[in-house]
C-alpha cells in the first residue's frame, strides 16, 4: 500500500503547483478529502471537478484516473465512480479502447446493478454514435429493456436508457418505438435535458407521432411542456398539425398541406397520413356522441372523413381490427353501432365536450328519477 500512497502524494503535489490559482485550490481540496478518507465528499467533488474546462484532454484525464482515482476506486460509491469516469471515457480517442475500459470497469462495480446498467448505456452510446455498430447497440437496448422493466421503481439509469433507445430507433427509422421511448425519456429526465435541445426533440417527436404505426394518443405529446418550445420557431406549424390529427380535423390537414408537404418524410407518407387522420376522425365522431346516439351512418362518416362512400366500411373495419373502436356494422342499413372508443389524453376542448355529455347524462338520470317518483303510486296500487 505504500507505493500508491507515495504516487498519489507526489502527483497531487505537482498538480497543486498549477499556475491557475483556482485550479490549484481545487487540487488542494481533493488532497484534503483524500487524506481524511472522506470518500463520499471526495466522490461528489470529483463528479464536478472532472468537468473543469482545463482538464478536458485525454492525457490529463487518464493521468487523473491512473495516478489518483484508481487508487481508491473500490472505496467509493460504484454509481458515483461511473459518473466520474464517464467524462474520462468521453475523451478516449480510440473508441474501441473506450469500450474495453468500460468492460474492465464493469467487473469492478458489479456489486451495484445501477452502475452496471449505466456502463451498458455508455457502451451502447459509443457503439451507436462512434462505431456505427447498430447490432451491438440493439443487443444492449434489448437486454436492458427486459431488466429495467422488472425494476419496481424509476432509477437514474432509466432516463439515460430511454435516450439511448430513442436515438437508436430514430436512426433505424422505427417511428413508433422512437416516439414511445422519447416520451419515456422526457418523463424521467426532462429537468436534466438541455433547454436549447427542446425544440429539436419536440420536432422529432412530433414527426414520429404522425408517422408511427399504432400511435393514436397524440394528446399525450400535445399536453407535454416540451411542445411549447416550438412556439415562435419555424416549426410552430407542427403544433397545429398535431392538433388537427388529435381531433381528426381532415379539413385542417388539407389546408396545411402546402406547409407540411415541405417535409420529405411527411410528403412520402401522405397516403398513410390520410389513413391515420381518417381513423382519428372516426374515433372523434364516436367520442363526441352520447351513448344513445352511437348509430353512425356511413354517409355521415363519408362526409366527415371526406372519403368515397364505398371506402367507409373498410375504414370502420380497420378501426375495429386495431381495437380503436368497438361496435357492430349493419351493412343493410348502412350504419355502424359504436359501443366503445379507445381512451386518449384529451385537450381542453375535448374535456369540455365530455363535461357537456356528462351534464346531459345527469339530466337524463334526474328526469328518470322524477318519472319514477311520479309513477310510484300507480305502480304500488297496481
Amino acid at each position: 500500500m505504500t507505493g500508491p500512497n507515495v504516487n498519489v502524494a507526489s502527483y497531487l503535489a505537482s498538480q497543486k503547483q498549477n499556475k491557475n490559482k483556482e485550479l490549484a485550490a481545487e487540487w488542494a481540496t481533493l488532497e484534503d478529502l483524500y487524506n481524511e478518507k472522506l470518500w463520499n465528499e471526495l466522490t461528489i467533488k470529483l463528479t464536478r471537478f472532472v468537468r473543469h474546462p482545463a482538464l478536458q484532454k485525454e492525457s490529463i484525464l487518464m493521468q487523473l484516473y491512473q495516478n489518483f482515482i484508481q487508487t481508491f476506486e473500490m472505496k467509493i460509491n460504484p454509481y458515483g465512480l461511473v459518473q466520474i469516469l464517464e467524462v474520462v471515457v468521453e475523451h478516449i480517442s480510440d473508441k474501441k479502447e473506450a469500450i474495453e475500459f468500460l468492460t474492465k470497469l464493469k467487473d469492478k462495480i458489479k456489486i451495484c446493478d445501477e452502475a452496471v446498467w449505466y456502463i451498458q448505456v455508455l457502451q451502447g452510446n459509443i457503439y451507436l454514435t462512434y462505431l456505427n455498430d447498430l447490432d451491438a447497440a440493439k443487443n444492449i437496448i434489448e437486454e436492458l429493456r427486459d431488466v429495467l422493466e422488472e425494476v419496481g421503481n424509476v432509477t437514474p439509469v432509466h432516463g439515460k436508457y430511454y435516450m439511448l433507445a430513442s436515438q437508436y430507433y430514430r436512426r433505424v427509422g422505427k417511428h413508433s418505438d422512437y416516439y414511445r421511448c422519447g416520451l419515456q425519456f422526457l418523463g424521467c429526465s426532462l429537468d436534466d435535458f438541455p433547454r436549447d435541445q427542446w425544440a429539436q426533440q419536440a420536432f422529432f417527436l412530433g414527426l414520429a407521432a404522425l408517422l408511427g404505426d399504432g400511435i393514436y394518443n397524440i394528446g399525450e405529446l400535445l399536453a407535454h411542456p416540451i411542445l411549447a418550445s416550438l412556439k415562435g420557431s419555424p416549426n410552430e406549424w407542427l403544433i397545429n398539425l398535431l392538433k388537427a390529427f388529435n381531433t381528426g380535423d381532415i379539413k385542417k390537414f388539407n389546408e396545411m398541406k402546402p406547409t407540411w408537404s415541405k417535409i420529405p418524410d411527411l410528403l412520402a407518407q401522405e397516403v398513410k397520413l390520410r389513413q391515420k387522420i381518417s381513423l382519428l376522425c372516426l374515433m372523434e365522431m364516436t367520442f363526441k356522441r352520447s351513448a344513445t346516439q352511437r348509430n353512425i351512418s356511413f354517409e355521415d362518416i363519408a362526409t366527415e372523413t371526406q372519403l368515397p362512400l364505398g371506402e367507409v366500411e373498410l375504414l370502420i373495419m380497420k378501426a375495429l381490427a386495431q381495437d380503436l373502436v368497438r361496435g357492430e356494422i349493419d351493412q343493410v342499413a348502412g350504419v355502424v353501432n359504436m359501443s366503445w372508443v379507445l381512451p386518449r389524453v384529451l385537450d381542453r376542448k375535448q374535456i369540455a365536450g365530455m363535461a357537456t355529455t356528462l351534464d346531459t347524462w345527469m339530466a337524463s338520470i334526474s328526469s328518470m328519477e322524477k318519472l319514477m317518483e311520479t309513477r310510484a303510486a300507480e305502480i304500488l296500487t297496481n
Side-chain angles (χ1 to χ4, degrees):
M1 296 299 291
T2 306
N5 289 335
V6 172
N7 291 335
V8 169
S10 59
Y11 173 72
L12 293 176
S14 64
Q15 297 304 317
K16 286 192 298 181
Q17 303 304 314
N18 197 295
K19 294 180 180 179
N20 183 329
K21 292 184 179 179
E22 180 263 334
L23 189 59
E26 294 278 355
W27 281 107
T29 302
L30 290 173
E31 182 181 44
D32 290 341
L33 294 174
Y34 173 79
N35 289 333
E36 294 176 20
K37 295 182 173 56
L38 298 175
W39 306 124
N40 184 53
E41 291 80 355
L42 182 58
T43 303
I44 296 171
K45 181 69 177 177
L46 277 169
T47 303
R48 295 192 299 267
F49 181 70
V50 291
R51 290 171 170 76
H52 194 287
L55 303 178
Q56 303 311 300
K57 290 183 180 179
E58 180 181 357
S59 57
I60 295 175
L61 288 169
M62 286 305 296
Q63 288 175 16
L64 172 61
Y65 172 68
Q66 293 168 351
N67 295 317
F68 186 50
I69 299 174
Q70 194 173 28
T71 63
F72 57 85
E73 61 184 355
M74 302 302 291
K75 299 178 182 179
I76 64 176
N77 179 276
Y79 190 88
L81 176 63
V82 179
Q83 284 183 303
I84 295 167
L85 296 184
E86 177 182 5
V87 181
V88 178
V89 170
E90 287 175 357
H91 287 80
I92 297 177
S93 54
D94 187 331
K95 295 306 175 182
K96 290 184 178 179
E97 288 186 8
I99 291 289
E100 184 62 27
F101 181 91
L102 288 169
T103 300
K104 292 178 180 177
L105 178 61
K106 193 190 300 183
D107 292 333
K108 299 176 182 179
I109 51 84
K110 57 187 177 183
I111 61 170
C112 176
D113 289 339
E114 290 183 13
V116 173
W117 304 334
Y118 193 172
I119 287 178
Q120 288 179 279
V121 170
L122 295 178
Q123 289 179 319
N125 279 320
I126 294 173
Y127 282 127
L128 182 64
T129 308
Y130 299 101
L131 299 179
N132 198 33
D133 190 339
L134 298 181
D135 289 337
K138 179 183 177 181
N139 290 336
I140 289 174
I141 289 168
E142 291 180 347
E143 179 184 344
L144 277 179
R145 179 184 59 207
D146 296 336
V147 172
L148 294 179
E149 283 179 355
E150 294 179 0
V151 178
N153 59 305
V154 177
T155 71
V157 182
H158 276 75
K160 303 177 190 300
Y161 166 76
Y162 289 129
M163 173 54 83
L164 167 64
S166 65
Q167 288 177 334
Y168 168 78
Y169 290 128
R170 184 166 69 87
R171 183 90 166 267
V172 299
K174 292 189 174 183
H175 303 296
S176 300
D177 290 326
Y178 167 72
Y179 178 75
R180 294 187 182 96
C181 287
L183 282 182
Q184 287 173 309
F185 163 74
L186 295 176
C188 296
S189 305
L190 182 61
D191 294 339
D192 300 328
F193 194 53
R195 282 269 180 175
D196 59 357
Q197 296 181 31
W198 278 33
Q200 182 187 56
Q201 183 76 354
F203 180 71
F204 288 149
L205 282 172
L207 294 184
L210 298 175
L211 296 170
D213 293 329
I215 303 296
Y216 294 97
N217 193 2
I218 298 174
E220 191 174 5
L221 178 59
L222 286 169
H224 201 286
I226 197 172
L227 205 64
S229 63
L230 291 178
K231 292 182 179 179
S233 76
N235 294 319
E236 184 174 1
W237 58 268
L238 184 57
I239 300 176
N240 295 326
L241 184 60
L242 288 167
K243 288 179 178 178
F245 266 77
N246 192 50
T247 57
D249 190 342
I250 296 176
K251 181 181 177 182
K252 184 70 172 178
F253 173 71
N254 290 329
E255 290 174 353
M256 293 187 66
K257 184 175 179 179
T259 302
W260 61 256
S261 61
K262 294 177 182 178
I263 305 299
D265 287 348
L266 296 182
L267 182 60
Q269 299 292 332
E270 181 176 357
V271 174
K272 181 178 178 180
L273 291 174
R274 289 191 179 278
Q275 291 175 346
K276 185 169 193 172
I277 198 168
S278 296
L279 288 167
L280 285 161
C281 180
L282 179 60
M283 292 171 68
E284 189 70 9
M285 290 179 69
T286 305
F287 172 75
K288 285 180 178 179
R289 282 166 165 74
S290 66
T292 58
Q293 298 176 333
R294 290 280 177 85
N295 285 329
I296 311 174
S297 70
F298 286 9
E299 289 82 0
D300 287 345
I301 296 173
T303 301
E304 288 288 331
T305 60
Q306 299 182 20
L307 287 173
L309 186 61
E311 296 181 14
V312 169
E313 187 174 357
L314 179 59
L315 175 70
I316 298 170
M317 291 174 67
K318 286 181 179 178
L320 292 170
Q322 295 185 53
D323 204 27
L324 301 179
V325 294
R326 294 174 189 167
E328 295 179 353
I329 300 174
D330 186 338
Q331 293 176 315
V332 177
V335 299
V336 57
N337 179 24
M338 296 296 192
S339 58
W340 178 87
V341 63
L342 181 72
R344 296 179 293 160
V345 175
L346 306 178
D347 60 23
R348 291 180 181 274
K349 187 176 180 180
Q350 289 169 320
I351 293 172
M354 179 178 281
T356 301
T357 301
L358 288 173
D359 289 341
T360 303
W361 181 62
M362 290 298 295
S364 298
I365 292 176
S366 297
S367 177
M368 180 59 70
E369 185 180 14
K370 290 178 181 178
L371 178 63
M372 292 294 292
E373 290 176 355
T374 304
R375 296 291 182 85
E378 297 179 17
I379 295 171
L380 291 173
T381 302
N382 294 334

